Amino acid sequence: MIERTPSVVVVGSVAIDWVITPKAERERSVGGSATFFSMAASYFGPVRLCGVVGKDFPEQSLADLRAAHVDTEGLEVVPDGLTFHWKGRYHDDMNHRDTLDTRLNVFEHFDPRLPQSYRGSEYLFLANIQPALQLRVLDQMDPRPRLVGLDTMNLWIEHTKDDLLKVLARVDLLTINEEEARQLTGEPNLVRAARAIHDIGPRSLVIKRGEYGALLFHEGEVFSAPALPLEEVIDPTGAGDSFAGGFMGYLARVGETTGESLRSAMIYGSVMASYCVEGFSYDRLAGLDHRAIDERFMAFSRLTHFERARLL
Ligand code: AMP
């Protein structure tokens, strides 16, 4: 079969979460940065997943990933290990959450080996996981992909900053939360934080701002994408990873990284994030079709459209 859309390789966590929101709770909620990313990106083209799970990972979720045409050859199953576990509780203002527990489990001794078929992919996303693992995956890509994106979090900025800076120097795009951008650079002003991040390595930067949307910094320009005001948010977990999946998936699909395509990617990322938060786990993400994605893209367009001609 000839692949028309270049594939995206993703490495990151595949997890069993325990999610507590002000209204509801799910104790064994399948999550992980690479899971949400893969589910979201799968609507745009081929996705190849690299990660590890333990014996407790539900067969149904493996089947769901495969049903979404996610290549799981690089997803190792450790027969005597337990899957990565994260437990978090959201505040009434669901932009904020506390991590109650993180257990690396099978990620502690994970030595990622990319299948041969993954190594020549043109797009690579290093989703949130230990920077040392992100580095090992990047080293195995041959030739270097056309576009390498990365996501990270406070834990790694705090405990493994040297590794993080090493890998950041080699990536094209960083997606990061507002607070984490400040933490990484020590700079409270986001515009200055963005400049400091460009100096570390990434040419393009997306700063995620929860229900306030996301900002793109690229070649001296700033673009702001809103988040859709939703009446009911069930579970914000994975919104950032779904955003990244839509963003990278779209870029791979169109095969270019011009300023214009990056702006559209911001909206497709926002579309996938908005669907993600409407359910626990990947419940809502898994059942979409292209019409639903296009409809929401248009809703974003209406949300921000205004007539320049009305300028006085
Ligand atoms: P997000 O809401 O986009 O920040 O991502 C939430 C997902 O990140 C959850 O499903 C968790 O399993 C996963 N996660 C939480 N902490 C970590 C960590 N330290 N490393 C990797 N993944 C994590």
Side-chain angles (χ1 to χ4, degrees):
M1 193 181 86
I2 299 171
E3 265 176 16
R4 303 230 303 279
T5 303
S7 58
V8 182
V9 170
V10 58
V11 61
S13 57
V14 180
I16 297 179
D17 297 334
W18 183 343
V19 177
I20 305 167
T21 75
K23 284 206 187 132
E25 170 166 352
R26 190 181 279 186
E27 192 174 333
R28 290 178 61 78
S29 187
V30 170
S33 54
T35 311
F36 289 112
F37 179 97
S38 298
M39 280 296 188
S42 70
Y43 289 95
F44 299 85
V47 183
R48 294 169 169 160
L49 171 58
C50 173
V52 63
V53 293
K55 60 183 175 192
D56 53 343
F57 193 72
E59 273 297 325
Q60 182 59 51
S61 292
L62 291 176
D64 291 341
L65 284 164
R66 288 174 192 141
H69 302 289
V70 174
D71 186 342
T72 55
E73 192 189 339
L75 179 63
E76 192 185 326
V77 182
V78 178
D80 58 352
L82 289 177
T83 302
F84 174 88
H85 174 70
W86 174 79
K87 179 177 181 181
R89 179 188 287 124
Y90 287 88
H91 297 194
D92 286 335
D93 164 7
M94 287 212 270
N95 284 308
H96 295 103
R97 70 183 177 202
D98 299 317
T99 290
L100 306 179
D101 197 9
T102 300
R103 294 186 195 177
L104 289 181
N105 293 336
V106 286
F107 268 105
E108 214 163 328
H109 302 291
F110 180 49
D111 185 16
R113 293 248 159 264
L114 288 185
Q116 208 54 45
S117 58
Y118 284 28
R119 296 184 181 208
S121 290
E122 291 181 51
Y123 294 81
L124 170 67
F125 194 72
L126 305 166
N128 179 27
I129 195 64
Q130 295 101 300
L133 294 180
Q134 295 176 318
L135 264 173
R136 265 188 262 162
V137 167
L138 179 54
D139 281 339
Q140 289 173 50
M141 297 296 286
D142 185 22
R144 185 199 189 274
R146 249 174 95 176
L147 184 75
V148 181
L150 180 143
D151 190 31
T152 192
M153 71 181 296
N154 52 2
L155 184 73
W156 312 121
I157 299 172
E158 212 171 295
H159 297 292
T160 57
K161 192 161 177 185
D162 287 350
D163 281 346
L164 180 59
L165 290 177
K166 238 187 266 171
V167 64
L168 271 178
R170 294 171 55 191
V171 310
D172 305 295
L173 162 83
L174 171 67
T175 65
I176 192 167
N177 289 343
E178 183 173 8
E179 275 318 306
E180 292 157 357
R182 295 194 172 105
Q183 185 190 0
L184 176 64
T185 58
E187 178 54 71
N189 176 289
L190 284 185
V191 178
R192 279 198 231 133
R195 199 174 309 134
I197 288 171
H198 289 315
D199 289 344
I200 298 171
R203 279 185 308 124
S204 310
L205 167 68
V206 175
I207 297 188
K208 299 174 286 179
R209 307 179 64 228
E211 71 170 312
Y212 306 112
L215 292 171
L216 166 73
F217 294 85
H218 176 75
E219 292 183 351
E221 296 208 359
V222 189
F223 176 70
S224 168
L228 205 63
L230 295 169
E231 206 166 310
E232 189 157 49
V233 171
I234 302 286
D235 171 16
T237 309
D241 311 306
S242 306
F243 177 96
F247 188 96
M248 288 287 288
Y250 174 79
L251 289 179
R253 178 69 173 255
V254 297
E256 53 173 45
T257 50
T258 58
E260 208 44 55
S261 51
L262 285 168
R263 285 167 183 234
S264 296
M266 288 286 284
I267 304 299
Y268 276 108
S270 308
V271 165
M272 301 318 285
S274 76
Y275 276 125
C276 171
V277 304
E278 287 184 343
F280 275 105
S281 183
Y282 56 77
D283 289 359
R284 188 79 173 99
L285 273 185
L288 299 175
D289 57 27
H290 287 279
R291 227 182 79 189
I293 293 172
D294 290 349
E295 266 170 19
R296 200 154 275 190
F297 188 95
M298 293 317 292
F300 271 92
S301 173
R302 286 192 298 276
L303 184 66
T304 50
H305 183 80
F306 66 94
E307 286 296 336
R308 233 192 299 206
R310 294 260 173 86
L311 200 67
L312 284 175

